[in-house]
Amino acid sequence: MTFDELVGGDVNEAAQGLIGWTLLVDGVGGRIVEVEAYDQVDAASHAYRGRTARNRVMFGKAGHLYVYRSYGIHWCANVVCGPVGHAAAVLLRALEPTHGLDRMRVRRGVDDDRLLCAGPGRLTQALAVTGECDGADLAAPPFALLPPVEPLAVVRTARIGITRAVELEWRYVESGSSWSSRPSRRAA
DNA sequence: CAGTGGATGCTCT
DNA sequence: GAGCATCCACTGT
């Protein structure tokens, strides 16, 4: 399945399907190992109360980036999904760093590679994604997306850091990955 | 390890 | 004026 086909469909199927893809920004990035789905029918979504200046990109074309500021400090990056006019997006929560580790270490200022991309705010800092990227097309440079080379298992859980619609299990993590924002103690 | 609180800016009520 | 789709440092076991 192509990236366009994947993100053009149901946001939860897209979220699960995005696990294992490699995201690069100017040659720096890694494999997506943790994401969450958000939809306009979902009370935890920025689009729940309709279109605003901040969330307008969510209503636009699939495969573009929705970037917003979180807690006044961090940036969070989402992949817009579904048809134009229906607001849905997949929040990128963690990558397994594979490309440009040196540049990520400098940007993050940490020694432990485990902390380079484990969390939505950390991931954007490591890849230098900011509000200037809001609305950018992920199919065009400096962005690149490479499909997984082999099948992988995905675990579904409740989302993290929200207060509404906490019962929905719309978080997807690569099974056994030790690179997620909430590492499993039993990671292989 | 678990729990707490501060930083900090913007959006929406 | 409240409330965040967060991270980090610090406390106490």
Side-chain angles (χ1 to χ4, degrees):
Chain A
M1 177 175 283
T2 68
F3 178 69
D4 279 350
E5 290 169 344
L6 186 60
V7 298
D10 175 80
V11 68
N12 271 281
E13 292 182 14
Q16 180 165 349
L18 280 170
I19 300 294
W21 284 71
T22 294
L23 168 66
L24 300 179
V25 182
D26 194 22
V28 176
R31 294 178 62 251
I32 299 171
V33 299
E34 179 185 352
V35 300
E36 288 175 359
Y38 289 87
D39 188 277
Q40 64 185 27
V41 301
D42 148 32
S45 168
H46 290 167
Y48 184 60
R49 296 181 185 277
R51 188 176 188 132
T52 67
R54 176 177 61 165
N55 67 23
R56 69 195 145 78
V57 172
M58 283 185 78
F59 290 81
K61 281 198 280 187
H64 286 234
L65 262 186
Y66 166 47
V67 182
Y68 67 91
R69 201 188 274 285
S70 176
Y71 290 89
I73 302 173
H74 310 285
W75 296 102
C76 290
N78 301 248
V79 179
V80 174
C81 293
V84 171
H86 182 102
V90 172
L91 171 67
L92 301 174
R93 287 197 57 93
L95 305 181
E96 173 185 339
T98 58
H99 292 62
L101 282 272
D102 288 345
R103 293 175 70 185
M104 288 196 270
R105 290 186 190 110
V106 171
R107 288 168 178 166
R108 290 279 299 120
V110 297
D111 240 356
D112 187 353
D113 286 353
R114 199 63 54 94
L115 298 177
L116 287 180
C117 299
R122 294 166 174 163
L123 177 162
T124 53
Q125 186 180 28
L127 272 58
V129 170
T130 70
E132 294 183 5
C133 303
D134 189 36
D137 184 356
L138 285 168
F143 303 98
L145 278 150
L146 314 172
V149 292
E150 55 189 38
L152 42 87
V154 177
V155 177
R156 189 176 69 144
T157 75
R159 292 175 295 185
I160 293 174
I162 57 172
T163 57
R164 296 184 295 237
V166 294
E167 72 283 1
L168 296 179
E169 295 195 325
W170 284 9
R171 173 174 178 255
Y172 301 88
V173 186
E174 180 180 9
S175 179
S177 175
S178 51
W179 299 99
S180 69
S181 66
R182 299 282 178 93
S184 163
R185 180 182 296 271
R186 303 163 52 91

